[in-house]
Each structure stands twice: as structure tokens, then as C-alpha cells.
Amino acid sequence: MSNFAYLPLESKGWRMAMGLRPLDLDHWLEVDDRRDDELEQKRQLLDTVFDVVVATNPEGDEGSRELLGEVTRYLDAHQPELTIEVRREEHPIVAAARLVQEDLCVLVRSDVWRLQAACVCFPSRWNLASKLGTTLDDIHRPVPTYDVELSRPTNAFFERLKSDRSFWRLNWTLIDSPALHQPTSARRSPHGELADWFFRVERQTLRRLPESGAIVFTIHNYVASAKELCEAHEDFGATLLLNLDTAPPAMQEYKGWVGVADRLRASLDPEPRLSRE
Ligand code: HEM
């Protein structure tokens, strides 16, 4: 049985939704058995491609300092067995991101909410530098139907978010590589066998910090092979197929899924049964 943390497929087919749920801050960040490996990957990325995985404006400094304090307090309270070394000489969002599996983003309100600091080591095919200083609408410009379906409610949600009520949501995709660090936006349709396809889930949290008033957005990635998930969960393959089949063509294009449903259908039922007359 797979112990994959989240399977957020829609049982009735593709749906574009905010899908926000209340977050108990005792479960703000998640620690699992991939922690050592993922923190090591972050360390190497920060050593080799710092400008790809970190982007900061001075407007994000205050929120980033407060975020570092929140992260260390959280780990002290909830994971006291972990050894935490805070690198005070670094930008606080980098120091914070080294301690947790999550990618971290700080948004600050000026004329509108803008992304002003981020350490994103594990982007799912997007480029961090191009999003720094931009608005929620600009960040999501490549996402089909975001402007008509999600822009208004997401902006309104940011305006209303208070520090005493936090939220989380899940995002998923099917992708042709298990690598966590995928900074380029080129999307290729998954090819090959079912075992070569990967189900990637982002657990995202949103909270407003009490002192600076900045909003923190965290992303924790979970990846599993589609084949393993099909074997472990009876309905997974059929539900995945339904979600791929019912996603609008522009979304299929954006996600790199064109033609994938047909391949999946063939993999799920490789030898169509002969009908007996
Ligand atoms: C309630 C809040 C939010 C909602 C409902 C939302 C929704 C979405 C959706 C539906 C997508 C399409 C992703 C996919 O299926 O592949 C997306 C992509 C994305 N989101 Fe959000 N999002 C939210 C907040 C944020 C925040 C705060 C950031 C800040 C960094 C962000 C950054 C991104 C980026 C970078 C992408 C990829 C865009 C690209 O392809 O260039 N999102 N978001």
C-alpha cells in the first residue's frame, strides 16, 4: 500500500478551484523521511544556482525576518529532536528555507499584493526571477482561465486574510520527471511507460504574519510514480484518466498533457479483451 500523503484528484472530473481549507498552525509545516535528502538538495542548489532559487527585494526583508523567527519557533515546538542551525549571516528567507522541506515566498502589500522575497528550490516548471516584485495576477498570467475563474476570489482572499486564520490547499500535476528542481517552463508530454510518469502534488499553505503583516506562501512537494499509485490505489488510474480527459484543451496544453490520456488508457488496459461472438 502506498503511503503517499495526498491524492487530490476530483472524483467527478477536472475542476479549477481555490480549494482552500482552514489550517491548524500546529500543522503548518510538514517533516517526513525525505527531509535529509531534500535539505541536501537545497544546500547544493544554493551553492551552485543561487540566483535561480532565491529572489529578494528590500520590501520583503521585514517579512522574511519575521518568517525565520516563526520557522524556528515552529520547529522548536513541534520537532524538538531536529538539530537546527540558523545561518544569521544569510538573508533570513534563505536561512529559513534551509531548515524546512518547504519552498518559501513572502508577499507584501503596497499598491496591491506583490511577491517580494522567495527561496524556491523546487519549482514545478516556472521561473522565480521573472515573478519577483509582480502581482498575483501577473504571477498567474500563464495559467489558463485563472483570470476569469480565480483572479477575483484569490485577490479578495488576500485582502481579507488575517493572522488568526490560516489556510492550505493542494495542487497536482502529472509530469515526466521525478526531479524536484524543475526551473524551466518547457513542458513536454509524458512519454514512455506508466512507470515513467510522475504524480506531483504541492501542499501549499497561506498565512498572514502578525507583526509585519506580510503573507507567507509555502509549498511542499510530494512526488510518486503513477505506476506505483495505480498499483496501490484501485481507483487512482481511472480517476486520473477522468481528470486528464475532462481538463480543457488550453489546460492540457499548459500542463504538457496533450495525448497523455490516450497513452494512459493504453497502459491501464494494455491488451483490450477480444469480444466473443
Ligand atoms: C489562493 C491562492 C492561490 C491560488 C488559488 C493559486 C492557484 C494556482 C493555480 C490553479 C495554478 C496552476 C498550476 C497548475 O495546475 O499547474 C497556479 C500556478 C502558479 N502559482 Fe498559484 N495560486 C495561489 C497562490 C499563489 C501564490 C501566493 C504564489 C506566489 C508565489 C503562486 C505562484 C504560482 C506560480 C509561480 C504558478 C506557476 C505559474 C507558471 O506556470 O508560470 N500562487 N496557481
PDB file of all heavy atoms in Angstrom, residues 3-7 29-34 38 101-102 170-173 175 178 180 198-204 219-225 229:
ATOM      1  N   ASN A   3       2.101   4.952   0.782  1.00  0.00           N
ATOM      2  CA  ASN A   3       1.775   5.884   1.864  1.00  0.00           C
ATOM      3  C   ASN A   3       1.905   7.323   1.379  1.00  0.00           C
ATOM      4  O   ASN A   3       2.281   8.212   2.120  1.00  0.00           O
ATOM      5  CB  ASN A   3       2.660   5.635   3.094  1.00  0.00           C
ATOM      6  CG  ASN A   3       4.117   5.777   2.738  1.00  0.00           C
ATOM      7  OD1 ASN A   3       4.444   6.073   1.585  1.00  0.00           O
ATOM      8  ND2 ASN A   3       4.993   5.591   3.704  1.00  0.00           N
ATOM      9  N   PHE A   4       1.608   7.531   0.093  1.00  0.00           N
ATOM     10  CA  PHE A   4       1.675   8.869  -0.486  1.00  0.00           C
ATOM     11  C   PHE A   4       0.701   9.779   0.274  1.00  0.00           C
ATOM     12  O   PHE A   4      -0.449   9.408   0.523  1.00  0.00           O
ATOM     13  CB  PHE A   4       1.290   8.773  -1.971  1.00  0.00           C
ATOM     14  CG  PHE A   4       1.681   9.987  -2.754  1.00  0.00           C
ATOM     15  CD1 PHE A   4       3.002  10.351  -2.890  1.00  0.00           C
ATOM     16  CD2 PHE A   4       0.708  10.762  -3.362  1.00  0.00           C
ATOM     17  CE1 PHE A   4       3.362  11.467  -3.621  1.00  0.00           C
ATOM     18  CE2 PHE A   4       1.059  11.882  -4.099  1.00  0.00           C
ATOM     19  CZ  PHE A   4       2.394  12.235  -4.223  1.00  0.00           C
ATOM     20  N   ALA A   5       1.197  10.983   0.605  1.00  0.00           N
ATOM     21  CA  ALA A   5       0.447  11.809   1.562  1.00  0.00           C
ATOM     22  C   ALA A   5      -0.890  12.319   1.029  1.00  0.00           C
ATOM     23  O   ALA A   5      -1.885  12.336   1.753  1.00  0.00           O
ATOM     24  CB  ALA A   5       1.328  12.972   1.994  1.00  0.00           C
ATOM     25  N   TYR A   6      -0.931  12.733  -0.235  1.00  0.00           N
ATOM     26  CA  TYR A   6      -2.142  13.407  -0.725  1.00  0.00           C
ATOM     27  C   TYR A   6      -2.485  12.947  -2.136  1.00  0.00           C
ATOM     28  O   TYR A   6      -1.618  12.888  -2.993  1.00  0.00           O
ATOM     29  CB  TYR A   6      -1.923  14.925  -0.757  1.00  0.00           C
ATOM     30  CG  TYR A   6      -1.570  15.505   0.587  1.00  0.00           C
ATOM     31  CD1 TYR A   6      -0.257  15.857   0.899  1.00  0.00           C
ATOM     32  CD2 TYR A   6      -2.554  15.695   1.554  1.00  0.00           C
ATOM     33  CE1 TYR A   6       0.076  16.377   2.145  1.00  0.00           C
ATOM     34  CE2 TYR A   6      -2.235  16.212   2.802  1.00  0.00           C
ATOM     35  CZ  TYR A   6      -0.930  16.555   3.082  1.00  0.00           C
ATOM     36  OH  TYR A   6      -0.610  17.057   4.308  1.00  0.00           O
ATOM     37  N   LEU A   7      -3.765  12.669  -2.369  1.00  0.00           N
ATOM     38  CA  LEU A   7      -4.245  12.302  -3.714  1.00  0.00           C
ATOM     39  C   LEU A   7      -5.432  13.207  -4.067  1.00  0.00           C
ATOM     40  O   LEU A   7      -6.582  12.786  -3.960  1.00  0.00           O
ATOM     41  CB  LEU A   7      -4.673  10.829  -3.743  1.00  0.00           C
ATOM     42  CG  LEU A   7      -3.564   9.787  -3.620  1.00  0.00           C
ATOM     43  CD1 LEU A   7      -4.154   8.388  -3.561  1.00  0.00           C
ATOM     44  CD2 LEU A   7      -2.587   9.896  -4.779  1.00  0.00           C
ATOM     45  N   LEU A  29       3.917  23.275   8.871  1.00  0.00           N
ATOM     46  CA  LEU A  29       4.954  22.709   8.004  1.00  0.00           C
ATOM     47  C   LEU A  29       5.014  21.204   8.248  1.00  0.00           C
ATOM     48  O   LEU A  29       4.659  20.742   9.328  1.00  0.00           O
ATOM     49  CB  LEU A  29       6.303  23.359   8.341  1.00  0.00           C
ATOM     50  CG  LEU A  29       6.293  24.897   8.291  1.00  0.00           C
ATOM     51  CD1 LEU A  29       7.597  25.465   8.853  1.00  0.00           C
ATOM     52  CD2 LEU A  29       6.061  25.386   6.867  1.00  0.00           C
ATOM     53  N   GLU A  30       5.450  20.463   7.227  1.00  0.00           N
ATOM     54  CA  GLU A  30       5.478  19.007   7.376  1.00  0.00           C
ATOM     55  C   GLU A  30       6.915  18.484   7.272  1.00  0.00           C
ATOM     56  O   GLU A  30       7.700  18.960   6.443  1.00  0.00           O
ATOM     57  CB  GLU A  30       4.599  18.351   6.309  1.00  0.00           C
ATOM     58  CG  GLU A  30       3.134  18.700   6.511  1.00  0.00           C
ATOM     59  CD  GLU A  30       2.157  17.863   5.706  1.00  0.00           C
ATOM     60  OE1 GLU A  30       2.531  17.377   4.625  1.00  0.00           O
ATOM     61  OE2 GLU A  30       1.015  17.707   6.154  1.00  0.00           O
ATOM     62  N   VAL A  31       7.210  17.520   8.126  1.00  0.00           N
ATOM     63  CA  VAL A  31       8.533  16.896   8.126  1.00  0.00           C
ATOM     64  C   VAL A  31       8.331  15.419   7.817  1.00  0.00           C
ATOM     65  O   VAL A  31       7.483  14.785   8.433  1.00  0.00           O
ATOM     66  CB  VAL A  31       9.195  17.044   9.516  1.00  0.00           C
ATOM     67  CG1 VAL A  31      10.510  16.282   9.573  1.00  0.00           C
ATOM     68  CG2 VAL A  31       9.414  18.518   9.842  1.00  0.00           C
ATOM     69  N   ASP A  32       9.063  14.875   6.839  1.00  0.00           N
ATOM     70  CA  ASP A  32       8.933  13.436   6.577  1.00  0.00           C
ATOM     71  C   ASP A  32      10.307  12.825   6.331  1.00  0.00           C
ATOM     72  O   ASP A  32      11.338  13.496   6.489  1.00  0.00           O
ATOM     73  CB  ASP A  32       7.933  13.155   5.436  1.00  0.00           C
ATOM     74  CG  ASP A  32       8.405  13.737   4.110  1.00  0.00           C
ATOM     75  OD1 ASP A  32       9.631  13.920   3.932  1.00  0.00           O
ATOM     76  OD2 ASP A  32       7.555  14.009   3.246  1.00  0.00           O
ATOM     77  N   ASP A  33      10.307  11.546   5.928  1.00  0.00           N
ATOM     78  CA  ASP A  33      11.589  10.845   5.848  1.00  0.00           C
ATOM     79  C   ASP A  33      12.442  11.303   4.657  1.00  0.00           C
ATOM     80  O   ASP A  33      13.555  10.824   4.477  1.00  0.00           O
ATOM     81  CB  ASP A  33      11.385   9.319   5.836  1.00  0.00           C
ATOM     82  CG  ASP A  33      10.476   8.885   4.698  1.00  0.00           C
ATOM     83  OD1 ASP A  33      10.107   9.757   3.865  1.00  0.00           O
ATOM     84  OD2 ASP A  33      10.131   7.691   4.628  1.00  0.00           O
ATOM     85  N   ARG A  34      11.943  12.214   3.856  1.00  0.00           N
ATOM     86  CA  ARG A  34      12.779  12.750   2.761  1.00  0.00           C
ATOM     87  C   ARG A  34      13.535  14.000   3.193  1.00  0.00           C
ATOM     88  O   ARG A  34      14.206  14.640   2.382  1.00  0.00           O
ATOM     89  CB  ARG A  34      11.907  13.112   1.569  1.00  0.00           C
ATOM     90  CG  ARG A  34      11.294  11.886   0.941  1.00  0.00           C
ATOM     91  CD  ARG A  34      10.343  12.264  -0.167  1.00  0.00           C
ATOM     92  NE  ARG A  34       9.499  11.135  -0.466  1.00  0.00           N
ATOM     93  CZ  ARG A  34       9.466  10.500  -1.626  1.00  0.00           C
ATOM     94  NH1 ARG A  34      10.220  10.909  -2.604  1.00  0.00           N
ATOM     95  NH2 ARG A  34       8.669   9.478  -1.810  1.00  0.00           N
ATOM     96  N   GLU A  38      16.140  16.176   0.871  1.00  0.00           N
ATOM     97  CA  GLU A  38      15.672  17.438   0.273  1.00  0.00           C
ATOM     98  C   GLU A  38      16.484  18.636   0.788  1.00  0.00           C
ATOM     99  O   GLU A  38      16.785  19.564   0.028  1.00  0.00           O
ATOM    100  CB  GLU A  38      14.169  17.610   0.528  1.00  0.00           C
ATOM    101  CG  GLU A  38      13.385  16.591  -0.297  1.00  0.00           C
ATOM    102  CD  GLU A  38      11.875  16.659  -0.126  1.00  0.00           C
ATOM    103  OE1 GLU A  38      11.368  17.622   0.478  1.00  0.00           O
ATOM    104  OE2 GLU A  38      11.207  15.727  -0.606  1.00  0.00           O
ATOM    105  N   GLN A 101      11.547  21.504   4.475  1.00  0.00           N
ATOM    106  CA  GLN A 101      11.408  20.968   3.116  1.00  0.00           C
ATOM    107  C   GLN A 101      10.635  21.925   2.207  1.00  0.00           C
ATOM    108  O   GLN A 101      10.752  21.867   0.990  1.00  0.00           O
ATOM    109  CB  GLN A 101      10.699  19.615   3.182  1.00  0.00           C
ATOM    110  CG  GLN A 101      11.590  18.524   3.759  1.00  0.00           C
ATOM    111  CD  GLN A 101      10.815  17.296   4.192  1.00  0.00           C
ATOM    112  OE1 GLN A 101      10.473  17.162   5.353  1.00  0.00           O
ATOM    113  NE2 GLN A 101      10.539  16.398   3.273  1.00  0.00           N
ATOM    114  N   GLU A 102       9.852  22.807   2.812  1.00  0.00           N
ATOM    115  CA  GLU A 102       9.024  23.722   2.035  1.00  0.00           C
ATOM    116  C   GLU A 102       9.852  24.771   1.295  1.00  0.00           C
ATOM    117  O   GLU A 102      10.891  25.213   1.774  1.00  0.00           O
ATOM    118  CB  GLU A 102       8.051  24.471   2.975  1.00  0.00           C
ATOM    119  CG  GLU A 102       6.819  23.708   3.373  1.00  0.00           C
ATOM    120  CD  GLU A 102       7.075  22.657   4.455  1.00  0.00           C
ATOM    121  OE1 GLU A 102       8.192  22.613   5.010  1.00  0.00           O
ATOM    122  OE2 GLU A 102       6.143  21.879   4.738  1.00  0.00           O
ATOM    123  N   LEU A 170      -4.226  22.193  -2.108  1.00  0.00           N
ATOM    124  CA  LEU A 170      -3.406  21.231  -2.841  1.00  0.00           C
ATOM    125  C   LEU A 170      -3.489  21.507  -4.329  1.00  0.00           C
ATOM    126  O   LEU A 170      -4.541  21.904  -4.841  1.00  0.00           O
ATOM    127  CB  LEU A 170      -3.901  19.796  -2.585  1.00  0.00           C
ATOM    128  CG  LEU A 170      -3.764  19.275  -1.159  1.00  0.00           C
ATOM    129  CD1 LEU A 170      -4.544  17.973  -0.986  1.00  0.00           C
ATOM    130  CD2 LEU A 170      -2.291  19.041  -0.812  1.00  0.00           C
ATOM    131  N   ASN A 171      -2.404  21.296  -5.024  1.00  0.00           N
ATOM    132  CA  ASN A 171      -2.320  21.428  -6.468  1.00  0.00           C
ATOM    133  C   ASN A 171      -1.663  20.145  -6.975  1.00  0.00           C
ATOM    134  O   ASN A 171      -0.776  19.629  -6.313  1.00  0.00           O
ATOM    135  CB  ASN A 171      -1.393  22.609  -6.759  1.00  0.00           C
ATOM    136  CG  ASN A 171      -1.722  23.270  -8.045  1.00  0.00           C
ATOM    137  OD1 ASN A 171      -2.852  23.710  -8.234  1.00  0.00           O
ATOM    138  ND2 ASN A 171      -0.757  23.331  -8.934  1.00  0.00           N
ATOM    139  N   TRP A 172      -2.068  19.632  -8.117  1.00  0.00           N
ATOM    140  CA  TRP A 172      -1.404  18.410  -8.618  1.00  0.00           C
ATOM    141  C   TRP A 172      -1.106  18.527 -10.096  1.00  0.00           C
ATOM    142  O   TRP A 172      -1.740  19.292 -10.818  1.00  0.00           O
ATOM    143  CB  TRP A 172      -2.264  17.165  -8.346  1.00  0.00           C
ATOM    144  CG  TRP A 172      -3.530  17.130  -9.139  1.00  0.00           C
ATOM    145  CD1 TRP A 172      -4.733  17.656  -8.761  1.00  0.00           C
ATOM    146  CD2 TRP A 172      -3.742  16.564 -10.450  1.00  0.00           C
ATOM    147  NE1 TRP A 172      -5.670  17.452  -9.746  1.00  0.00           N
ATOM    148  CE2 TRP A 172      -5.102  16.783 -10.792  1.00  0.00           C
ATOM    149  CE3 TRP A 172      -2.925  15.887 -11.363  1.00  0.00           C
ATOM    150  CZ2 TRP A 172      -5.654  16.360 -12.005  1.00  0.00           C
ATOM    151  CZ3 TRP A 172      -3.467  15.466 -12.570  1.00  0.00           C
ATOM    152  CH2 TRP A 172      -4.826  15.695 -12.874  1.00  0.00           C
ATOM    153  N   THR A 173      -0.137  17.750 -10.541  1.00  0.00           N
ATOM    154  CA  THR A 173       0.099  17.622 -11.968  1.00  0.00           C
ATOM    155  C   THR A 173       0.690  16.248 -12.264  1.00  0.00           C
ATOM    156  O   THR A 173       1.085  15.513 -11.347  1.00  0.00           O
ATOM    157  CB  THR A 173       1.003  18.747 -12.500  1.00  0.00           C
ATOM    158  OG1 THR A 173       0.901  18.777 -13.933  1.00  0.00           O
ATOM    159  CG2 THR A 173       2.455  18.573 -12.109  1.00  0.00           C
ATOM    160  N   ILE A 175       3.688  14.598 -14.562  1.00  0.00           N
ATOM    161  CA  ILE A 175       4.898  15.193 -15.104  1.00  0.00           C
ATOM    162  C   ILE A 175       5.862  14.069 -15.506  1.00  0.00           C
ATOM    163  O   ILE A 175       5.731  12.948 -15.035  1.00  0.00           O
ATOM    164  CB  ILE A 175       5.457  16.146 -14.009  1.00  0.00           C
ATOM    165  CG1 ILE A 175       6.370  17.205 -14.549  1.00  0.00           C
ATOM    166  CG2 ILE A 175       6.034  15.407 -12.860  1.00  0.00           C
ATOM    167  CD1 ILE A 175       6.495  18.395 -13.599  1.00  0.00           C
ATOM    168  N   PRO A 178      10.781  12.840 -12.014  1.00  0.00           N
ATOM    169  CA  PRO A 178      10.577  12.945 -10.561  1.00  0.00           C
ATOM    170  C   PRO A 178      11.426  14.051  -9.919  1.00  0.00           C
ATOM    171  O   PRO A 178      11.327  14.286  -8.726  1.00  0.00           O
ATOM    172  CB  PRO A 178      11.027  11.573 -10.056  1.00  0.00           C
ATOM    173  CG  PRO A 178      12.061  11.133 -11.049  1.00  0.00           C
ATOM    174  CD  PRO A 178      11.672  11.727 -12.385  1.00  0.00           C
ATOM    175  N   LEU A 180      12.751  17.281  -8.315  1.00  0.00           N
ATOM    176  CA  LEU A 180      12.023  18.356  -7.624  1.00  0.00           C
ATOM    177  C   LEU A 180      12.374  19.722  -8.213  1.00  0.00           C
ATOM    178  O   LEU A 180      11.537  20.613  -8.269  1.00  0.00           O
ATOM    179  CB  LEU A 180      12.357  18.336  -6.130  1.00  0.00           C
ATOM    180  CG  LEU A 180      11.758  17.174  -5.341  1.00  0.00           C
ATOM    181  CD1 LEU A 180      12.208  17.248  -3.877  1.00  0.00           C
ATOM    182  CD2 LEU A 180      10.239  17.186  -5.412  1.00  0.00           C
ATOM    183  N   PHE A 198       4.985  10.711 -13.439  1.00  0.00           N
ATOM    184  CA  PHE A 198       5.046  11.016 -12.014  1.00  0.00           C
ATOM    185  C   PHE A 198       3.909  11.947 -11.627  1.00  0.00           C
ATOM    186  O   PHE A 198       3.604  12.915 -12.330  1.00  0.00           O
ATOM    187  CB  PHE A 198       6.408  11.625 -11.660  1.00  0.00           C
ATOM    188  CG  PHE A 198       7.503  10.649 -11.935  1.00  0.00           C
ATOM    189  CD1 PHE A 198       8.090  10.569 -13.197  1.00  0.00           C
ATOM    190  CD2 PHE A 198       7.881   9.733 -10.972  1.00  0.00           C
ATOM    191  CE1 PHE A 198       9.044   9.615 -13.485  1.00  0.00           C
ATOM    192  CE2 PHE A 198       8.843   8.769 -11.249  1.00  0.00           C
ATOM    193  CZ  PHE A 198       9.427   8.718 -12.516  1.00  0.00           C
ATOM    194  N   PHE A 199       3.301  11.610 -10.494  1.00  0.00           N
ATOM    195  CA  PHE A 199       2.207  12.404  -9.957  1.00  0.00           C
ATOM    196  C   PHE A 199       2.841  13.328  -8.923  1.00  0.00           C
ATOM    197  O   PHE A 199       3.484  12.866  -7.976  1.00  0.00           O
ATOM    198  CB  PHE A 199       1.188  11.456  -9.320  1.00  0.00           C
ATOM    199  CG  PHE A 199      -0.094  12.105  -8.922  1.00  0.00           C
ATOM    200  CD1 PHE A 199      -0.973  12.589  -9.887  1.00  0.00           C
ATOM    201  CD2 PHE A 199      -0.450  12.207  -7.584  1.00  0.00           C
ATOM    202  CE1 PHE A 199      -2.182  13.173  -9.526  1.00  0.00           C
ATOM    203  CE2 PHE A 199      -1.655  12.782  -7.223  1.00  0.00           C
ATOM    204  CZ  PHE A 199      -2.522  13.267  -8.197  1.00  0.00           C
ATOM    205  N   ARG A 200       2.699  14.633  -9.161  1.00  0.00           N
ATOM    206  CA  ARG A 200       3.372  15.602  -8.293  1.00  0.00           C
ATOM    207  C   ARG A 200       2.321  16.469  -7.608  1.00  0.00           C
ATOM    208  O   ARG A 200       1.514  17.112  -8.284  1.00  0.00           O
ATOM    209  CB  ARG A 200       4.321  16.461  -9.125  1.00  0.00           C
ATOM    210  CG  ARG A 200       5.013  17.555  -8.329  1.00  0.00           C
ATOM    211  CD  ARG A 200       6.155  18.147  -9.134  1.00  0.00           C
ATOM    212  NE  ARG A 200       6.706  19.303  -8.488  1.00  0.00           N
ATOM    213  CZ  ARG A 200       7.961  19.704  -8.575  1.00  0.00           C
ATOM    214  NH1 ARG A 200       8.815  19.024  -9.302  1.00  0.00           N
ATOM    215  NH2 ARG A 200       8.384  20.788  -7.962  1.00  0.00           N
ATOM    216  N   VAL A 201       2.353  16.458  -6.296  1.00  0.00           N
ATOM    217  CA  VAL A 201       1.374  17.231  -5.517  1.00  0.00           C
ATOM    218  C   VAL A 201       2.098  18.326  -4.752  1.00  0.00           C
ATOM    219  O   VAL A 201       3.153  18.086  -4.164  1.00  0.00           O
ATOM    220  CB  VAL A 201       0.627  16.312  -4.514  1.00  0.00           C
ATOM    221  CG1 VAL A 201      -0.282  17.126  -3.612  1.00  0.00           C
ATOM    222  CG2 VAL A 201      -0.176  15.254  -5.262  1.00  0.00           C
ATOM    223  N   GLU A 202       1.525  19.526  -4.782  1.00  0.00           N
ATOM    224  CA  GLU A 202       2.042  20.617  -3.963  1.00  0.00           C
ATOM    225  C   GLU A 202       1.071  20.861  -2.814  1.00  0.00           C
ATOM    226  O   GLU A 202      -0.107  21.130  -3.052  1.00  0.00           O
ATOM    227  CB  GLU A 202       2.125  21.912  -4.780  1.00  0.00           C
ATOM    228  CG  GLU A 202       3.115  21.848  -5.915  1.00  0.00           C
ATOM    229  CD  GLU A 202       3.243  23.182  -6.641  1.00  0.00           C
ATOM    230  OE1 GLU A 202       2.508  24.145  -6.308  1.00  0.00           O
ATOM    231  OE2 GLU A 202       4.082  23.268  -7.553  1.00  0.00           O
ATOM    232  N   ARG A 203       1.564  20.741  -1.580  1.00  0.00           N
ATOM    233  CA  ARG A 203       0.761  21.164  -0.426  1.00  0.00           C
ATOM    234  C   ARG A 203       1.174  22.606  -0.128  1.00  0.00           C
ATOM    235  O   ARG A 203       2.333  22.868   0.191  1.00  0.00           O
ATOM    236  CB  ARG A 203       1.030  20.272   0.784  1.00  0.00           C
ATOM    237  CG  ARG A 203       0.319  20.779   2.055  1.00  0.00           C
ATOM    238  CD  ARG A 203       0.743  19.952   3.271  1.00  0.00           C
ATOM    239  NE  ARG A 203       0.078  20.361   4.485  1.00  0.00           N
ATOM    240  CZ  ARG A 203       0.547  21.245   5.371  1.00  0.00           C
ATOM    241  NH1 ARG A 203       1.721  21.851   5.151  1.00  0.00           N
ATOM    242  NH2 ARG A 203      -0.125  21.531   6.461  1.00  0.00           N
ATOM    243  N   GLN A 204       0.237  23.501  -0.292  1.00  0.00           N
ATOM    244  CA  GLN A 204       0.546  24.934  -0.138  1.00  0.00           C
ATOM    245  C   GLN A 204      -0.150  25.479   1.100  1.00  0.00           C
ATOM    246  O   GLN A 204      -1.305  25.131   1.366  1.00  0.00           O
ATOM    247  CB  GLN A 204       0.040  25.698  -1.361  1.00  0.00           C
ATOM    248  CG  GLN A 204       0.548  25.128  -2.680  1.00  0.00           C
ATOM    249  CD  GLN A 204      -0.067  25.812  -3.889  1.00  0.00           C
ATOM    250  OE1 GLN A 204      -1.116  26.438  -3.796  1.00  0.00           O
ATOM    251  NE2 GLN A 204       0.573  25.673  -5.042  1.00  0.00           N
ATOM    252  N   ILE A 219       5.273  25.952  -0.036  1.00  0.00           N
ATOM    253  CA  ILE A 219       4.976  24.875  -0.993  1.00  0.00           C
ATOM    254  C   ILE A 219       5.810  23.661  -0.602  1.00  0.00           C
ATOM    255  O   ILE A 219       7.043  23.742  -0.548  1.00  0.00           O
ATOM    256  CB  ILE A 219       5.380  25.280  -2.430  1.00  0.00           C
ATOM    257  CG1 ILE A 219       4.834  26.655  -2.793  1.00  0.00           C
ATOM    258  CG2 ILE A 219       4.914  24.218  -3.437  1.00  0.00           C
ATOM    259  CD1 ILE A 219       5.635  27.351  -3.885  1.00  0.00           C
ATOM    260  N   HIS A 220       5.129  22.545  -0.319  1.00  0.00           N
ATOM    261  CA  HIS A 220       5.828  21.287  -0.036  1.00  0.00           C
ATOM    262  C   HIS A 220       5.443  20.302  -1.134  1.00  0.00           C
ATOM    263  O   HIS A 220       4.268  20.027  -1.336  1.00  0.00           O
ATOM    264  CB  HIS A 220       5.399  20.752   1.339  1.00  0.00           C
ATOM    265  CG  HIS A 220       6.202  19.595   1.836  1.00  0.00           C
ATOM    266  ND1 HIS A 220       6.631  19.501   3.143  1.00  0.00           N
ATOM    267  CD2 HIS A 220       6.661  18.492   1.223  1.00  0.00           C
ATOM    268  CE1 HIS A 220       7.325  18.372   3.300  1.00  0.00           C
ATOM    269  NE2 HIS A 220       7.344  17.740   2.135  1.00  0.00           N
ATOM    270  N   ASN A 221       6.445  19.778  -1.848  1.00  0.00           N
ATOM    271  CA  ASN A 221       6.199  18.880  -2.976  1.00  0.00           C
ATOM    272  C   ASN A 221       6.250  17.414  -2.570  1.00  0.00           C
ATOM    273  O   ASN A 221       7.137  17.015  -1.805  1.00  0.00           O
ATOM    274  CB  ASN A 221       7.266  19.106  -4.056  1.00  0.00           C
ATOM    275  CG  ASN A 221       6.998  20.372  -4.827  1.00  0.00           C
ATOM    276  OD1 ASN A 221       6.185  20.386  -5.743  1.00  0.00           O
ATOM    277  ND2 ASN A 221       7.664  21.455  -4.423  1.00  0.00           N
ATOM    278  N   TYR A 222       5.322  16.657  -3.105  1.00  0.00           N
ATOM    279  CA  TYR A 222       5.315  15.202  -2.932  1.00  0.00           C
ATOM    280  C   TYR A 222       5.245  14.587  -4.325  1.00  0.00           C
ATOM    281  O   TYR A 222       4.393  14.987  -5.129  1.00  0.00           O
ATOM    282  CB  TYR A 222       4.097  14.762  -2.117  1.00  0.00           C
ATOM    283  CG  TYR A 222       4.125  15.290  -0.698  1.00  0.00           C
ATOM    284  CD1 TYR A 222       3.581  16.534  -0.374  1.00  0.00           C
ATOM    285  CD2 TYR A 222       4.729  14.552   0.314  1.00  0.00           C
ATOM    286  CE1 TYR A 222       3.632  17.027   0.915  1.00  0.00           C
ATOM    287  CE2 TYR A 222       4.782  15.036   1.612  1.00  0.00           C
ATOM    288  CZ  TYR A 222       4.231  16.270   1.914  1.00  0.00           C
ATOM    289  OH  TYR A 222       4.300  16.758   3.185  1.00  0.00           O
ATOM    290  N   VAL A 223       6.134  13.626  -4.621  1.00  0.00           N
ATOM    291  CA  VAL A 223       6.166  13.022  -5.961  1.00  0.00           C
ATOM    292  C   VAL A 223       6.161  11.494  -5.839  1.00  0.00           C
ATOM    293  O   VAL A 223       6.878  10.937  -5.002  1.00  0.00           O
ATOM    294  CB  VAL A 223       7.450  13.450  -6.722  1.00  0.00           C
ATOM    295  CG1 VAL A 223       7.464  12.850  -8.117  1.00  0.00           C
ATOM    296  CG2 VAL A 223       7.560  14.961  -6.800  1.00  0.00           C
ATOM    297  N   ALA A 224       5.336  10.847  -6.667  1.00  0.00           N
ATOM    298  CA  ALA A 224       5.338   9.374  -6.699  1.00  0.00           C
ATOM    299  C   ALA A 224       5.140   8.914  -8.132  1.00  0.00           C
ATOM    300  O   ALA A 224       4.545   9.631  -8.943  1.00  0.00           O
ATOM    301  CB  ALA A 224       4.226   8.821  -5.825  1.00  0.00           C
ATOM    302  N   SER A 225       5.611   7.703  -8.432  1.00  0.00           N
ATOM    303  CA  SER A 225       5.405   7.208  -9.801  1.00  0.00           C
ATOM    304  C   SER A 225       3.929   6.864  -9.989  1.00  0.00           C
ATOM    305  O   SER A 225       3.267   6.323  -9.093  1.00  0.00           O
ATOM    306  CB  SER A 225       6.305   6.004 -10.069  1.00  0.00           C
ATOM    307  OG  SER A 225       5.555   4.842 -10.233  1.00  0.00           O
ATOM    308  N   LEU A 229       1.232   4.334  -7.839  1.00  0.00           N
ATOM    309  CA  LEU A 229      -0.053   4.791  -7.302  1.00  0.00           C
ATOM    310  C   LEU A 229      -1.208   3.984  -7.892  1.00  0.00           C
ATOM    311  O   LEU A 229      -2.178   3.674  -7.200  1.00  0.00           O
ATOM    312  CB  LEU A 229      -0.243   6.291  -7.560  1.00  0.00           C
ATOM    313  CG  LEU A 229       0.715   7.187  -6.763  1.00  0.00           C
ATOM    314  CD1 LEU A 229       0.545   8.649  -7.156  1.00  0.00           C
ATOM    315  CD2 LEU A 229       0.499   7.036  -5.257  1.00  0.00           C
TER     316      LEU A 229
END
